[in-house]
Amino acid sequence: MADVVVEKQTTNESQQEQQKTTEIKHSEVGHKSLLQSDALYQYILETSVYPREPEPMKELRDITAKHPWNLMTTSADEGQFLSMLLKLINAKNTMEIGVYTGYSLLATALALPEDGKILAMDINKENYELGLPVIQKAGVAHKIDFREGPALPVLDVMVEDPKNHGSFDFVFVDADKDNYWNYHKRLIDLVKIGGVIGYDNTLWNGSVVAPPDAPMRKYVRYYRDFVLEFNKSIAADPRVEICQLPVGDGVTLCRRIS
């Protein structure tokens, strides 16, 4: 009987250690999911996402996975979500701030009608050109107006021209988190009433609820306070309705109402 008790105790301890290992592993995974387990996230991908992922997006996802900065990419489930959202709101004229290799950009381009347009801005054209051949092969490059450099000066020029006010149906922001509110102050004039602005990474690796002294990667700690401040500010903005979703690393949707 004593041997059985010891065996059960050893088994329980082994299971606890395995659970701890799984939790640690999940906190380090690159897909940026905030779900409680890798297995649950994998189920979503294999059941609902990968079977419906367009071949060009799969190709670009595979290319991006080999890039040293691949943590910056939009997750496949978020790409699917953006595609569905764009179709639901019948978006035609859109903007993307922060492009990287272009996975979310390709999702947008494929979702837009043939005459749809995307103003895409990023400070690194080299990363964009990594995905450009795939975008061209998909037959949607004509929808994209890519501009290399900081987005704020471009937005300032656009805001000065009243013709640009209310001209965008949808904007997706996945760029420098310390400028999210600066982007918002300009984009609120450029997106139409009823239009949507999506801000990525607003749950920031889950760090938004972590104690200040919790162990974090340097870049996570650096931007954490900016993300917290943005979340607080956007929640108090009466010009938009908001919905914060635990998709990818957190996406906040803002529907302009005034």
Side-chain angles (χ1 to χ4, degrees):
M1 179 67 73
D3 290 342
V4 174
V5 173
V6 171
E7 184 179 346
K8 286 184 177 179
Q9 183 176 353
T10 303
T11 300
N12 289 337
E13 289 174 353
S14 176
Q15 290 174 343
Q16 289 172 359
E17 286 301 317
Q18 185 177 0
Q19 184 178 357
K20 288 179 182 178
T21 301
T22 301
E23 290 172 353
I24 293 171
K25 176 177 178 291
H26 186 67
S27 69
E28 297 297 324
V29 291
H31 56 57
K32 299 187 291 189
S33 169
L34 296 169
L35 293 175
Q36 64 185 2
S37 73
D38 289 341
L40 189 56
Y41 182 68
Q42 199 64 31
Y43 172 81
I44 293 173
L45 292 177
E46 294 177 359
T47 305
S48 304
V49 180
Y50 291 158
R52 295 297 189 98
E53 184 180 33
E55 188 58 35
M57 291 182 64
K58 180 184 185 302
E59 183 179 354
L60 183 50
R61 180 165 56 81
D62 290 341
I63 290 172
T64 305
K66 300 170 186 174
H67 193 274
W69 302 342
N70 57 43
L71 281 172
M72 291 171 54
T73 192
T74 301
S75 60
D77 55 322
E78 187 175 351
Q80 185 185 64
F81 168 73
L82 290 174
S83 176
M84 175 71 79
L85 175 63
L86 287 159
K87 292 173 183 177
L88 287 171
I89 66 174
N90 295 314
K92 187 173 181 179
N93 191 37
T94 72
M95 185 191 308
E96 181 160 331
I97 301 174
V99 172
Y100 186 40
T101 60
Y103 186 81
S104 58
L105 182 64
L106 178 56
T108 300
L110 289 170
L112 293 182
E114 185 62 22
D115 59 345
K117 298 296 180 184
I118 313 165
L119 171 59
M121 293 177 277
D122 198 291
I123 59 172
N124 190 322
K125 189 176 183 180
E126 184 178 337
N127 290 335
Y128 168 66
E129 290 178 338
L130 187 65
L132 184 56
V134 179
I135 294 171
Q136 292 171 331
K137 188 167 63 172
V140 292
H142 65 283
K143 301 179 185 180
I144 300 169
D145 174 12
F146 179 84
R147 303 187 191 181
E148 183 179 23
L152 287 175
V154 177
L155 296 178
D156 284 336
V157 172
M158 294 179 69
V159 169
E160 287 177 2
D161 188 346
K163 289 188 298 184
N164 294 319
H165 290 199
S167 63
F168 287 88
D169 306 309
F170 178 79
V171 182
F172 185 59
V173 182
D174 183 10
D176 42 334
K177 316 309 167 193
D178 47 340
N179 270 318
Y180 266 28
W181 189 248
N182 289 325
Y183 292 136
H184 186 73
K185 287 190 293 186
R186 293 155 174 82
L187 293 173
I188 197 67
D189 289 329
L190 298 175
V191 72
K192 70 180 185 182
I193 301 289
V196 176
I197 310 171
Y199 293 98
D200 202 14
N201 306 112
T202 58
L203 294 178
W204 200 230
N205 287 243
S207 67
V208 290
V209 294
D213 59 348
M216 302 177 197
R217 292 186 179 93
K218 185 181 293 186
Y219 79 93
V220 173
R221 181 175 299 283
Y222 176 78
Y223 286 112
R224 176 178 177 271
D225 287 345
F226 291 111
V227 174
L228 285 168
E229 186 59 33
F230 172 76
N231 289 342
K232 182 179 178 181
S233 298
I234 203 71
D237 188 349
R239 299 169 296 180
V240 295
E241 295 175 327
I242 69 166
C243 178
Q244 190 170 26
L245 301 168
V247 177
D249 191 30
V251 181
T252 298
L253 299 180
C254 305
R255 178 177 176 269
R256 185 184 172 192
I257 57 175
S258 67

mmCIF file of all heavy atoms in Angstrom, residues 217-248:
data_model
loop_
_atom_site.group_PDB
_atom_site.id
_atom_site.type_symbol
_atom_site.label_atom_id
_atom_site.label_comp_id
_atom_site.label_asym_id
_atom_site.label_seq_id
_atom_site.Cartn_x
_atom_site.Cartn_y
_atom_site.Cartn_z
ATOM 1 N N ARG A 217 10.741 40.596 -21.316
ATOM 2 C CA ARG A 217 11.747 40.941 -22.312
ATOM 3 C C ARG A 217 11.902 42.467 -22.329
ATOM 4 O O ARG A 217 10.954 43.196 -22.044
ATOM 5 C CB ARG A 217 11.335 40.445 -23.698
ATOM 6 C CG ARG A 217 11.319 38.930 -23.850
ATOM 7 C CD ARG A 217 11.029 38.566 -25.305
ATOM 8 N NE ARG A 217 11.015 37.144 -25.506
ATOM 9 C CZ ARG A 217 9.934 36.379 -25.445
ATOM 10 N NH1 ARG A 217 8.765 36.934 -25.150
ATOM 11 N NH2 ARG A 217 9.995 35.084 -25.655
ATOM 12 N N LYS A 218 13.068 42.927 -22.718
ATOM 13 C CA LYS A 218 13.363 44.358 -22.656
ATOM 14 C C LYS A 218 12.373 45.177 -23.483
ATOM 15 O O LYS A 218 11.870 46.211 -23.033
ATOM 16 C CB LYS A 218 14.789 44.614 -23.127
ATOM 17 C CG LYS A 218 15.226 46.070 -22.978
ATOM 18 C CD LYS A 218 16.645 46.288 -23.484
ATOM 19 C CE LYS A 218 17.660 45.579 -22.617
ATOM 20 N NZ LYS A 218 19.051 45.897 -23.025
ATOM 21 N N TYR A 219 12.064 44.714 -24.706
ATOM 22 C CA TYR A 219 11.164 45.496 -25.553
ATOM 23 C C TYR A 219 9.740 45.493 -25.007
ATOM 24 O O TYR A 219 9.002 46.478 -25.156
ATOM 25 C CB TYR A 219 11.205 44.991 -26.997
ATOM 26 C CG TYR A 219 10.395 43.737 -27.258
ATOM 27 C CD1 TYR A 219 9.084 43.810 -27.709
ATOM 28 C CD2 TYR A 219 10.947 42.468 -27.060
ATOM 29 C CE1 TYR A 219 8.342 42.680 -27.955
ATOM 30 C CE2 TYR A 219 10.206 41.326 -27.300
ATOM 31 C CZ TYR A 219 8.909 41.424 -27.748
ATOM 32 O OH TYR A 219 8.179 40.293 -27.972
ATOM 33 N N VAL A 220 9.348 44.402 -24.344
ATOM 34 C CA VAL A 220 8.016 44.337 -23.744
ATOM 35 C C VAL A 220 7.908 45.348 -22.610
ATOM 36 O O VAL A 220 6.942 46.103 -22.507
ATOM 37 C CB VAL A 220 7.707 42.915 -23.224
ATOM 38 C CG1 VAL A 220 6.390 42.904 -22.451
ATOM 39 C CG2 VAL A 220 7.646 41.925 -24.376
ATOM 40 N N ARG A 221 8.919 45.383 -21.767
ATOM 41 C CA ARG A 221 8.915 46.321 -20.643
ATOM 42 C C ARG A 221 8.940 47.768 -21.138
ATOM 43 O O ARG A 221 8.250 48.635 -20.590
ATOM 44 C CB ARG A 221 10.119 46.058 -19.730
ATOM 45 C CG ARG A 221 10.165 46.985 -18.516
ATOM 46 C CD ARG A 221 11.297 46.627 -17.569
ATOM 47 N NE ARG A 221 11.151 45.276 -17.038
ATOM 48 C CZ ARG A 221 10.304 44.941 -16.070
ATOM 49 N NH1 ARG A 221 9.515 45.868 -15.530
ATOM 50 N NH2 ARG A 221 10.225 43.700 -15.647
ATOM 51 N N TYR A 222 9.733 48.032 -22.183
ATOM 52 C CA TYR A 222 9.886 49.403 -22.672
ATOM 53 C C TYR A 222 8.541 49.983 -23.141
ATOM 54 O O TYR A 222 8.193 51.128 -22.837
ATOM 55 C CB TYR A 222 10.886 49.454 -23.825
ATOM 56 C CG TYR A 222 11.019 50.827 -24.433
ATOM 57 C CD1 TYR A 222 11.780 51.824 -23.804
ATOM 58 C CD2 TYR A 222 10.364 51.151 -25.622
ATOM 59 C CE1 TYR A 222 11.885 53.098 -24.351
ATOM 60 C CE2 TYR A 222 10.461 52.425 -26.170
ATOM 61 C CZ TYR A 222 11.223 53.389 -25.527
ATOM 62 O OH TYR A 222 11.317 54.648 -26.074
ATOM 63 N N TYR A 223 7.761 49.169 -23.905
ATOM 64 C CA TYR A 223 6.523 49.684 -24.490
ATOM 65 C C TYR A 223 5.297 49.475 -23.600
ATOM 66 O O TYR A 223 4.218 49.990 -23.905
ATOM 67 C CB TYR A 223 6.268 49.029 -25.850
ATOM 68 C CG TYR A 223 7.182 49.538 -26.939
ATOM 69 C CD1 TYR A 223 8.153 48.715 -27.497
ATOM 70 C CD2 TYR A 223 7.075 50.848 -27.408
ATOM 71 C CE1 TYR A 223 8.993 49.177 -28.496
ATOM 72 C CE2 TYR A 223 7.910 51.321 -28.400
ATOM 73 C CZ TYR A 223 8.868 50.472 -28.946
ATOM 74 O OH TYR A 223 9.698 50.941 -29.929
ATOM 75 N N ARG A 224 5.447 48.727 -22.516
ATOM 76 C CA ARG A 224 4.300 48.369 -21.679
ATOM 77 C C ARG A 224 3.515 49.589 -21.204
ATOM 78 O O ARG A 224 2.286 49.643 -21.321
ATOM 79 C CB ARG A 224 4.772 47.551 -20.477
ATOM 80 C CG ARG A 224 3.677 47.192 -19.483
ATOM 81 C CD ARG A 224 4.252 46.346 -18.362
ATOM 82 N NE ARG A 224 3.258 46.023 -17.350
ATOM 83 C CZ ARG A 224 3.000 46.778 -16.293
ATOM 84 N NH1 ARG A 224 3.675 47.910 -16.100
ATOM 85 N NH2 ARG A 224 2.075 46.417 -15.426
ATOM 86 N N ASP A 225 4.200 50.589 -20.672
ATOM 87 C CA ASP A 225 3.510 51.764 -20.148
ATOM 88 C C ASP A 225 2.806 52.548 -21.248
ATOM 89 O O ASP A 225 1.729 53.131 -21.031
ATOM 90 C CB ASP A 225 4.483 52.669 -19.395
ATOM 91 C CG ASP A 225 4.904 52.088 -18.051
ATOM 92 O OD1 ASP A 225 4.236 51.137 -17.589
ATOM 93 O OD2 ASP A 225 5.907 52.562 -17.485
ATOM 94 N N PHE A 226 3.397 52.569 -22.443
ATOM 95 C CA PHE A 226 2.755 53.257 -23.565
ATOM 96 C C PHE A 226 1.453 52.557 -23.943
ATOM 97 O O PHE A 226 0.445 53.211 -24.233
ATOM 98 C CB PHE A 226 3.695 53.297 -24.776
ATOM 99 C CG PHE A 226 4.898 54.178 -24.597
ATOM 100 C CD1 PHE A 226 6.165 53.618 -24.488
ATOM 101 C CD2 PHE A 226 4.773 55.554 -24.528
ATOM 102 C CE1 PHE A 226 7.280 54.421 -24.320
ATOM 103 C CE2 PHE A 226 5.884 56.374 -24.359
ATOM 104 C CZ PHE A 226 7.145 55.800 -24.254
ATOM 105 N N VAL A 227 1.483 51.222 -23.955
ATOM 106 C CA VAL A 227 0.278 50.459 -24.284
ATOM 107 C C VAL A 227 -0.794 50.676 -23.219
ATOM 108 O O VAL A 227 -1.977 50.885 -23.528
ATOM 109 C CB VAL A 227 0.608 48.959 -24.427
ATOM 110 C CG1 VAL A 227 -0.675 48.149 -24.630
ATOM 111 C CG2 VAL A 227 1.560 48.723 -25.600
ATOM 112 N N LEU A 228 -0.397 50.649 -21.955
ATOM 113 C CA LEU A 228 -1.347 50.887 -20.867
ATOM 114 C C LEU A 228 -1.994 52.268 -20.987
ATOM 115 O O LEU A 228 -3.212 52.418 -20.809
ATOM 116 C CB LEU A 228 -0.637 50.759 -19.517
ATOM 117 C CG LEU A 228 -0.313 49.338 -19.056
ATOM 118 C CD1 LEU A 228 0.640 49.379 -17.862
ATOM 119 C CD2 LEU A 228 -1.589 48.579 -18.699
ATOM 120 N N GLU A 229 -1.204 53.269 -21.268
ATOM 121 C CA GLU A 229 -1.719 54.631 -21.387
ATOM 122 C C GLU A 229 -2.645 54.761 -22.589
ATOM 123 O O GLU A 229 -3.692 55.421 -22.523
ATOM 124 C CB GLU A 229 -0.559 55.628 -21.496
ATOM 125 C CG GLU A 229 -0.981 57.090 -21.473
ATOM 126 C CD GLU A 229 -1.725 57.474 -20.196
ATOM 127 O OE1 GLU A 229 -1.412 56.922 -19.119
ATOM 128 O OE2 GLU A 229 -2.637 58.327 -20.281
ATOM 129 N N PHE A 230 -2.264 54.117 -23.698
ATOM 130 C CA PHE A 230 -3.119 54.167 -24.886
ATOM 131 C C PHE A 230 -4.466 53.502 -24.604
ATOM 132 O O PHE A 230 -5.524 54.045 -24.956
ATOM 133 C CB PHE A 230 -2.448 53.481 -26.072
ATOM 134 C CG PHE A 230 -3.360 53.343 -27.259
ATOM 135 C CD1 PHE A 230 -3.636 54.439 -28.061
ATOM 136 C CD2 PHE A 230 -3.969 52.120 -27.561
ATOM 137 C CE1 PHE A 230 -4.508 54.330 -29.148
ATOM 138 C CE2 PHE A 230 -4.835 52.001 -28.627
ATOM 139 C CZ PHE A 230 -5.098 53.104 -29.426
ATOM 140 N N ASN A 231 -4.430 52.331 -23.994
ATOM 141 C CA ASN A 231 -5.678 51.627 -23.682
ATOM 142 C C ASN A 231 -6.603 52.478 -22.812
ATOM 143 O O ASN A 231 -7.821 52.511 -23.013
ATOM 144 C CB ASN A 231 -5.371 50.305 -22.973
ATOM 145 C CG ASN A 231 -4.761 49.276 -23.909
ATOM 146 O OD1 ASN A 231 -4.852 49.390 -25.130
ATOM 147 N ND2 ASN A 231 -4.135 48.263 -23.332
ATOM 148 N N LYS A 232 -6.018 53.166 -21.857
ATOM 149 C CA LYS A 232 -6.796 54.038 -20.975
ATOM 150 C C LYS A 232 -7.395 55.208 -21.756
ATOM 151 O O LYS A 232 -8.568 55.570 -21.573
ATOM 152 C CB LYS A 232 -5.892 54.554 -19.853
ATOM 153 C CG LYS A 232 -6.580 55.434 -18.835
ATOM 154 C CD LYS A 232 -5.600 55.869 -17.748
ATOM 155 C CE LYS A 232 -6.247 56.795 -16.740
ATOM 156 N NZ LYS A 232 -5.266 57.232 -15.688
ATOM 157 N N SER A 233 -6.589 55.793 -22.636
ATOM 158 C CA SER A 233 -7.035 56.959 -23.402
ATOM 159 C C SER A 233 -8.119 56.594 -24.407
ATOM 160 O O SER A 233 -9.112 57.316 -24.572
ATOM 161 C CB SER A 233 -5.842 57.601 -24.121
ATOM 162 O OG SER A 233 -4.884 58.075 -23.186
ATOM 163 N N ILE A 234 -7.933 55.463 -25.106
ATOM 164 C CA ILE A 234 -8.896 55.090 -26.143
ATOM 165 C C ILE A 234 -10.235 54.696 -25.523
ATOM 166 O O ILE A 234 -11.299 54.941 -26.086
ATOM 167 C CB ILE A 234 -8.332 53.950 -27.022
ATOM 168 C CG1 ILE A 234 -9.027 53.935 -28.394
ATOM 169 C CG2 ILE A 234 -8.455 52.598 -26.363
ATOM 170 C CD1 ILE A 234 -8.661 55.063 -29.287
ATOM 171 N N ALA A 235 -10.187 54.131 -24.314
ATOM 172 C CA ALA A 235 -11.421 53.753 -23.620
ATOM 173 C C ALA A 235 -12.233 54.977 -23.223
ATOM 174 O O ALA A 235 -13.454 54.893 -23.057
ATOM 175 C CB ALA A 235 -11.090 52.904 -22.394
ATOM 176 N N ALA A 236 -11.554 56.111 -23.083
ATOM 177 C CA ALA A 236 -12.228 57.343 -22.653
ATOM 178 C C ALA A 236 -12.568 58.269 -23.817
ATOM 179 O O ALA A 236 -13.123 59.352 -23.602
ATOM 180 C CB ALA A 236 -11.333 58.080 -21.652
ATOM 181 N N ASP A 237 -12.264 57.871 -25.054
ATOM 182 C CA ASP A 237 -12.501 58.729 -26.211
ATOM 183 C C ASP A 237 -13.964 58.637 -26.639
ATOM 184 O O ASP A 237 -14.399 57.594 -27.139
ATOM 185 C CB ASP A 237 -11.582 58.303 -27.365
ATOM 186 C CG ASP A 237 -11.639 59.264 -28.539
ATOM 187 O OD1 ASP A 237 -12.529 60.144 -28.567
ATOM 188 O OD2 ASP A 237 -10.785 59.149 -29.441
ATOM 189 N N PRO A 238 -14.746 59.695 -26.482
ATOM 190 C CA PRO A 238 -16.174 59.642 -26.810
ATOM 191 C C PRO A 238 -16.451 59.623 -28.312
ATOM 192 O O PRO A 238 -17.599 59.416 -28.724
ATOM 193 C CB PRO A 238 -16.721 60.929 -26.175
ATOM 194 C CG PRO A 238 -15.558 61.873 -26.196
ATOM 195 C CD PRO A 238 -14.346 61.027 -25.967
ATOM 196 N N ARG A 239 -15.420 59.809 -29.119
ATOM 197 C CA ARG A 239 -15.611 59.844 -30.574
ATOM 198 C C ARG A 239 -15.698 58.451 -31.181
ATOM 199 O O ARG A 239 -16.027 58.312 -32.365
ATOM 200 C CB ARG A 239 -14.468 60.628 -31.228
ATOM 201 C CG ARG A 239 -14.375 62.077 -30.782
ATOM 202 C CD ARG A 239 -13.087 62.715 -31.256
ATOM 203 N NE ARG A 239 -11.920 62.069 -30.650
ATOM 204 C CZ ARG A 239 -10.656 62.414 -30.882
ATOM 205 N NH1 ARG A 239 -10.405 63.412 -31.737
ATOM 206 N NH2 ARG A 239 -9.650 61.795 -30.304
ATOM 207 N N VAL A 240 -15.375 57.433 -30.385
ATOM 208 C CA VAL A 240 -15.364 56.066 -30.916
ATOM 209 C C VAL A 240 -16.079 55.098 -29.976
ATOM 210 O O VAL A 240 -16.140 55.311 -28.763
ATOM 211 C CB VAL A 240 -13.915 55.557 -31.144
ATOM 212 C CG1 VAL A 240 -13.218 56.358 -32.230
ATOM 213 C CG2 VAL A 240 -13.114 55.584 -29.846
ATOM 214 N N GLU A 241 -16.622 54.049 -30.575
ATOM 215 C CA GLU A 241 -17.042 52.865 -29.831
ATOM 216 C C GLU A 241 -15.884 51.886 -29.915
ATOM 217 O O GLU A 241 -15.224 51.806 -30.960
ATOM 218 C CB GLU A 241 -18.281 52.233 -30.460
ATOM 219 C CG GLU A 241 -19.522 53.094 -30.411
ATOM 220 C CD GLU A 241 -20.683 52.478 -31.156
ATOM 221 O OE1 GLU A 241 -20.442 51.785 -32.172
ATOM 222 O OE2 GLU A 241 -21.829 52.699 -30.742
ATOM 223 N N ILE A 242 -15.611 51.157 -28.852
ATOM 224 C CA ILE A 242 -14.454 50.268 -28.887
ATOM 225 C C ILE A 242 -14.819 48.846 -28.495
ATOM 226 O O ILE A 242 -15.817 48.596 -27.807
ATOM 227 C CB ILE A 242 -13.301 50.766 -27.980
ATOM 228 C CG1 ILE A 242 -13.681 50.641 -26.497
ATOM 229 C CG2 ILE A 242 -12.895 52.181 -28.327
ATOM 230 C CD1 ILE A 242 -12.496 50.799 -25.564
ATOM 231 N N CYS A 243 -13.996 47.932 -28.974
ATOM 232 C CA CYS A 243 -14.108 46.522 -28.601
ATOM 233 C C CYS A 243 -12.691 45.951 -28.596
ATOM 234 O O CYS A 243 -12.014 45.949 -29.628
ATOM 235 C CB CYS A 243 -14.984 45.772 -29.601
ATOM 236 S SG CYS A 243 -15.133 44.008 -29.254
ATOM 237 N N GLN A 244 -12.240 45.508 -27.431
ATOM 238 C CA GLN A 244 -10.899 44.941 -27.302
ATOM 239 C C GLN A 244 -11.016 43.417 -27.314
ATOM 240 O O GLN A 244 -11.711 42.820 -26.484
ATOM 241 C CB GLN A 244 -10.227 45.420 -26.016
ATOM 242 C CG GLN A 244 -8.738 45.064 -25.952
ATOM 243 C CD GLN A 244 -8.049 45.763 -24.788
ATOM 244 O OE1 GLN A 244 -8.682 46.093 -23.785
ATOM 245 N NE2 GLN A 244 -6.756 45.998 -24.912
ATOM 246 N N LEU A 245 -10.321 42.794 -28.242
ATOM 247 C CA LEU A 245 -10.457 41.356 -28.460
ATOM 248 C C LEU A 245 -9.159 40.612 -28.168
ATOM 249 O O LEU A 245 -8.072 41.093 -28.523
ATOM 250 C CB LEU A 245 -10.848 41.088 -29.922
ATOM 251 C CG LEU A 245 -12.155 41.725 -30.404
ATOM 252 C CD1 LEU A 245 -12.257 41.612 -31.917
ATOM 253 C CD2 LEU A 245 -13.338 41.043 -29.746
ATOM 254 N N PRO A 246 -9.236 39.429 -27.556
ATOM 255 C CA PRO A 246 -8.035 38.627 -27.304
ATOM 256 C C PRO A 246 -7.648 37.789 -28.515
ATOM 257 O O PRO A 246 -7.494 36.567 -28.434
ATOM 258 C CB PRO A 246 -8.454 37.754 -26.114
ATOM 259 C CG PRO A 246 -9.922 37.553 -26.306
ATOM 260 C CD PRO A 246 -10.430 38.841 -26.906
ATOM 261 N N VAL A 247 -7.526 38.436 -29.660
ATOM 262 C CA VAL A 247 -7.073 37.784 -30.889
ATOM 263 C C VAL A 247 -5.614 38.149 -31.087
ATOM 264 O O VAL A 247 -5.242 39.322 -30.954
ATOM 265 C CB VAL A 247 -7.904 38.250 -32.103
ATOM 266 C CG1 VAL A 247 -7.370 37.624 -33.392
ATOM 267 C CG2 VAL A 247 -9.365 37.899 -31.919
ATOM 268 N N GLY A 248 -4.779 37.154 -31.411
ATOM 269 C CA GLY A 248 -3.357 37.437 -31.531
ATOM 270 C C GLY A 248 -2.825 37.974 -30.214
ATOM 271 O O GLY A 248 -2.986 37.372 -29.165
#
